[in-house]
Amino acid sequence: MRAFLDPRQSLHRPRHFMANGALLPNPEVAGRIDILAKGAEAAGCVLEAPGDAGLGPIAAVHTPEYLTFLRTIHTRWRRIEGAGDEVIPNIHPANRTDGYPRSAVGQAGYHQADTACPIAEGTWEAAYSSAQCAVAGADALLGGSGAGYALCRPPGHHAFADLAGGFCFLNNSAVAAERLRAAGRRAAILDVDVHHGNGTQGIFYDRGDVLTVSIHADPDRFYPFFWGHAQERGRGAGLGCNLNLPLARGASDEDYLAALDIAMARIADFGADALVVALGLDIHVDDPFRGFAVTSKGFEAIGRRIARAGLDCLFVQEGGYVSDALGANLTAVLGGFSAAA
């Protein structure tokens, strides 16, 4: 299994995270990279630096207006007298209209869905490098590798075409799936993060050429709250090409694997020949977000069941936060997949 990591991904070092009205340390720390890298290596991966495929694969799923914002906003923000070191919006429009503010503060509110995606000096370079890992992983599948792992950090599945959120700036899984689709593959995305992949859903919601499936904690009482409900099935050409499988908090291995069987059946019915797995390790019982109760043995079983589909498969790293089990969980899912493939 080919695996990709760019050292520049550590340049994003967010400090702040607002939760329940309290300013907390941001859990999406650069130290996740070292833990995940060791976990991947324990599964037999040899991490290599991705090439630079340019902005084209990223712009295939994100608007140029948004990419301009991400590239330039920190420099513009620092010109504001008294501004903090990180771009964190203090206003979020209830409805975004055709109007587009010229103000850096207004644009931050327009393009950042919440306070969990602060933008600092190295954020753009890190996010760009993270997306290049996803591109390299997709290209590896196209080159015949059969399976791959992209250690993408910062993660991506909460990023819409023109909106950051939930630690995410560029939607790495969407970038990879679109890369595969453009090359003639029938691509599906399976999101196994504890949080719904709302950005991924949003990017493909009106399209029928990429299937999106997400297993996640029920958003009635869990982030991202406004997306991820079972009745969201796609729209227009995409109707029937989005499947949400929300589960109750505390879901066990057995609960999760039952939902995974439903997800894999839908992927088969879509006729997919390439699968992007948005790999959230935060479904583990000891993850700081405490959404599900999946065990390390459960991760191995997840990897095995995905492998049984016999599809070319790219694992793209999403959530999974610092705990004693984080690296071992990555080893378990990648090892389970490789053993069954």
Side-chain angles (χ1 to χ4, degrees):
M1 180 183 296
R2 293 185 66 185
F4 300 91
L5 171 65
D6 190 315
R8 291 174 295 179
Q9 293 168 234
S10 66
L11 293 174
H12 175 59
R13 295 182 175 271
R15 294 167 50 199
H16 298 121
F17 173 60
M18 182 74 75
N20 304 319
L23 189 63
L24 304 172
N26 196 302
E28 207 289 282
V29 296
R32 294 177 64 232
I33 292 175
D34 295 333
I35 297 170
L36 293 167
K38 290 176 182 177
E41 289 165 350
C45 295
V46 177
L47 291 161
E48 54 187 289
D52 188 345
L55 203 56
I58 299 170
V61 299
H62 291 289
T63 68
E65 186 175 69
Y66 177 59
L67 297 178
T68 298
F69 166 81
L70 289 178
R71 282 194 307 102
T72 64
I73 188 58
H74 185 258
T75 299
R76 296 169 56 214
W77 187 265
R78 296 295 292 140
R79 295 184 188 133
I80 302 171
E81 185 176 354
D85 291 334
E86 297 180 314
V87 181
I88 302 175
N90 60 286
I91 183 170
H92 301 280
N95 294 290
R96 297 190 301 166
T97 66
D98 291 340
Y100 187 68
R102 296 178 62 188
S103 158
V105 173
Q107 288 181 10
Y110 188 93
H111 288 299
Q112 291 173 268
D114 52 45
T115 58
C117 50
I119 298 172
E121 185 175 4
T123 299
W124 166 250
E125 190 171 0
Y128 178 87
S129 300
S130 182
Q132 294 300 330
C133 290
V135 174
D139 286 348
L141 292 196
L142 294 172
S145 69
Y149 171 63
L151 203 173
C152 291
R153 187 272 163 185
H157 73 149
H158 295 308
F160 289 74
D162 65 349
L163 190 65
F167 312 143
C168 302
F169 305 93
L170 298 175
N171 196 309
N172 307 305
S173 295
V175 167
E178 178 62 18
R179 184 79 163 176
L180 292 165
R181 186 211 62 78
R185 304 301 297 272
R186 183 78 167 163
I189 300 174
L190 170 65
D191 194 317
V192 299
D193 193 280
V194 75
H195 304 100
H196 175 248
N198 56 328
T200 309
Q201 174 177 293
I203 287 171
F204 296 110
Y205 203 65
D206 295 286
R207 294 172 48 175
D209 53 0
V210 173
L211 175 71
T212 49
V213 180
S214 181
I215 308 171
H216 51 272
D218 193 326
D220 276 350
R221 295 183 179 273
F222 205 73
Y223 185 92
F225 302 111
F226 309 106
W227 304 270
H229 302 277
Q231 65 267 27
E232 297 163 13
R233 299 165 45 234
R235 182 174 53 217
L239 185 62
C241 291
N242 185 81
L243 175 64
N244 288 328
L245 297 167
L247 301 178
R249 295 279 292 273
S252 66
D253 289 355
E254 183 178 323
D255 300 327
Y256 200 91
L257 291 170
L260 181 60
D261 286 342
I262 296 170
M264 297 308 297
R266 179 63 60 90
I267 289 164
D269 288 339
F270 181 71
D273 61 15
L275 179 62
V276 175
V277 178
L279 181 59
L281 301 172
D282 45 8
I283 60 175
H284 188 255
V285 62
D286 290 331
D287 187 85
F289 281 101
R290 307 283 182 193
F292 287 161
V294 173
T295 67
S296 294
K297 287 186 177 179
F299 276 110
E300 182 179 358
I302 289 168
R304 287 180 177 273
R305 292 205 186 183
I306 292 172
R308 286 179 196 166
L311 302 173
D312 286 353
C313 183
L314 173 64
F315 291 90
V316 174
Q317 188 64 52
E318 297 289 355
Y321 302 93
V322 175
S323 73
D324 291 342
L326 178 59
N329 290 336
L330 178 59
T331 303
V333 70
L334 296 182
F337 178 90
S338 296

